Amino acid sequence: MNRQELERAQSHSVHNRAELETSRRCGCFHCESVFTASAVLHWTDRSRVQGEWTALCPSCGIDSVIGDAAGFGMSPVFLREMKDRWFGSGRA
């Protein structure tokens, strides 16, 4: 994926409760785990409207969760590219 696509994907990791409710699978681009949307139990931004809450990964607790309803596959390659861009050497 190019940088623009990675940035578009990252925008789906915030204020994403409503989108995750329509997702079957989710992935975390921090720990690269894949899980069902129902596995997400913790959220940030609780002072906001419920649909705008941001998911916390059930495996690592980081707010780097994207649901498949965003249109991105939860493949290991995708999650690795996202991790490299936002947490690794790809940051710039």
Side-chain angles (χ1 to χ4, degrees), residues 9-10 12-13 16 20 25-37 39-40 55-68 72-84 86-87:
Q10 189 275 339
H12 289 271
S13 69
N16 57 357
L20 295 186
R25 293 183 342 131
C26 299
C28 174
F29 58 90
H30 182 264
C31 69
E32 301 179 53
S33 64
V34 177
F35 42 88
T36 63
V40 175
L56 298 176
C57 175
S59 297
C60 71
I62 303 296
D63 60 347
S64 300
V65 176
I66 297 177
D68 61 7
F72 302 96
M74 296 300 117
S75 74
V77 171
F78 168 71
L79 294 174
R80 172 53 52 132
E81 288 179 357
M82 289 292 289
K83 181 177 183 171
D84 288 348
W86 298 104
F87 296 102

Side-chain angles (χ1 to χ4, degrees), residues 6-64:
L6 294 173
E7 289 177 5
R8 188 170 64 84
Q10 189 275 339
S11 72
H12 289 271
S13 69
V14 295
H15 308 297
N16 57 357
R17 185 169 185 149
E19 187 168 78
L20 295 186
E21 288 176 347
T22 63
S23 295
R24 297 183 77 202
R25 293 183 342 131
C26 299
C28 174
F29 58 90
H30 182 264
C31 69
E32 301 179 53
S33 64
V34 177
F35 42 88
T36 63
S38 63
V40 175
L41 302 176
H42 300 285
W43 306 86
T44 64
D45 310 320
R46 288 190 179 254
S47 63
R48 296 180 172 267
V49 175
Q50 181 174 342
E52 295 181 352
W53 291 354
T54 298
L56 298 176
C57 175
S59 297
C60 71
I62 303 296
D63 60 347
S64 300

